[in-house]
């Protein structure tokens, strides 16, 4: 895969750079450049990011950061079994549990929500930071819904973090998930309130809470560039 001239490899995090120091200098630079491309493309072009991750993996499969990047790239293209393999390898190499929630979500993607729920009760969860524990709660609630346990999903999301008025990077997603879970059990009025709370906290536009609110309020948006809608008007 071609590497743009403006990518030097120096853009990677210091911690990743330290991991790559175990490699010969030229090889480390090549791996770093591919990891930069994975990070750069992961959101906008996950298919290409995945290809760069495979190159990095071929060059340095014994580096934890490489296995982690390969896992995220595989996850982004919904190759959940492959992603889980890479995340497990990264966890084994680094000893860190920070990937535990996304590993559980991979289990959901594979079609094993029961395993995701089991992971939510494992000791590793207690080692997660607050953000990681919230993420684990989100995954567990999703697994409950996979199993058609909608009421249990609502209960799973009820927590001190949900009740808090403080806004954190994960607040909007947690409130949104709770609103969606409430809607799934027919508690529409409460769901609307929580979609509104999610929108208040959604400073980065990570959810479509505004669209869900409009939908509940019966507001329909017309695309001025859509000729079919223009004719109807």
């Amino acid at each position: 895969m071609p590497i743009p001239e403006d990518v030097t490899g120096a853009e990677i995090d210091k911690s990743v750079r330290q991991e790559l120091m175990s490699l010969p200098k030229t090889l480390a630079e090549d791996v770093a450049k591919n990891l930069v491309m994975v990070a750069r493309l992961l959101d906008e072009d996950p298919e290409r990011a995945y290809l760069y991750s495979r190159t990095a993996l071929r060059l340095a499969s014994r580096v934890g950061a490489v296995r982690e990047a390969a896992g995220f790239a595989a996850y982004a293209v919904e190759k959940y079994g492959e992603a889980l393999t890479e995340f497990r390898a990264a966890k084994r190499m680094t000893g860190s549990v920070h990937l535990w929630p996304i590993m559980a979500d991979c289990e959901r993607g594979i079609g094993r929500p029961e395993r995701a729920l089991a992971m939510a009760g494992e000791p590793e969860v207690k080692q997660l930071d607050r953000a990681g524990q919230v993420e684990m709660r989100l995954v567990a609630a999703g697994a409950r819904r996979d199993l058609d346990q909608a009421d249990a999903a609502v209960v799973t999301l009820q927590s001190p973090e949900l009740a808090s008025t403080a806004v954190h990077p994960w607040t909007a997603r947690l409130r949104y998930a709770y609103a969606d879970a409430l809607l799934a059990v027919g508690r529409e009025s409460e769901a609307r309130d929580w979609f509104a709370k999610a929108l208040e906290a959604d400073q980065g536009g990570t959810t479509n809470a505004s669209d869900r609110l409009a939908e509940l309020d019966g507001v329909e948006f017309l695309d001025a560039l859509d000729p079919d809608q223009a004719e109807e008007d």
Side-chain angles (χ1 to χ4, degrees):
M1 294 288 291
I3 304 288
E5 292 182 3
D6 66 316
V7 174
T8 67
E11 302 90 342
I12 60 172
D13 292 341
K14 183 179 179 180
S15 60
V16 178
R17 191 179 304 116
Q18 288 177 335
E19 284 194 63
L20 296 180
M21 287 177 65
S22 62
L23 303 174
K25 186 173 184 296
T26 301
L27 178 59
E29 290 175 352
D30 288 343
V31 174
K33 290 178 181 178
N34 279 281
L35 292 181
V36 170
M37 293 306 297
V38 174
R40 179 180 288 188
L41 295 169
L42 195 59
D43 292 330
E44 64 183 56
D45 193 345
E47 293 288 349
R48 285 182 63 207
Y50 174 76
L51 295 177
Y52 280 106
S53 77
R54 300 309 293 178
T55 299
L57 193 59
R58 177 174 54 80
L59 295 173
S61 62
R62 295 185 179 181
V63 176
V66 171
R67 302 303 290 266
E68 182 173 332
F72 277 109
Y75 181 86
V77 294
E78 300 181 4
K79 295 179 182 289
Y80 299 116
E82 188 176 308
L84 184 57
T85 297
E86 300 304 336
F87 289 140
R88 283 174 174 165
K91 179 179 179 295
R92 221 169 29 244
M93 292 174 180
T94 65
S96 173
V97 299
H98 73 282
L99 294 170
W100 197 252
I102 196 169
M103 289 169 63
D105 205 40
C106 285
E107 295 284 6
R108 288 184 61 211
I110 296 169
R112 299 191 298 225
E114 299 92 343
R115 176 58 189 147
L117 283 175
M119 290 178 69
E122 295 289 339
E124 283 84 351
V125 176
K126 294 182 180 179
Q127 300 176 47
L128 296 170
D129 60 15
R130 194 177 183 193
Q133 291 185 0
V134 169
E135 197 64 38
M136 192 70 242
R137 192 176 292 277
L138 288 168
V139 173
R144 290 292 186 190
R145 294 186 66 173
D146 293 341
L147 294 166
D148 295 324
Q149 299 172 2
D151 288 304
V154 172
V155 174
T156 299
L157 292 168
Q158 292 169 347
S159 62
E161 291 81 10
L162 181 67
S164 174
T165 57
V167 175
H168 301 277
W170 38 261
T171 301
R173 291 178 57 239
L174 179 60
R175 292 177 179 178
Y176 182 95
Y178 187 57
D180 198 42
L182 288 169
L183 195 60
V185 296
R187 294 161 63 177
E188 186 173 311
S189 177
E190 293 173 82
R192 192 205 176 283
D193 290 342
W194 281 98
F195 278 128
K197 290 178 181 179
L199 182 58
E200 289 175 3
D202 197 357
Q203 300 168 350
T206 57
T207 74
N208 67 337
S210 60
D211 292 341
R212 299 298 297 277
L213 271 173
E215 183 180 310
L216 286 173
D217 290 341
V219 177
E220 182 178 354
F221 294 103
L222 299 180
D223 187 347
L225 300 179
D226 187 335
D228 293 332
Q229 291 186 344
E231 286 178 10
E232 292 176 5
D233 294 343

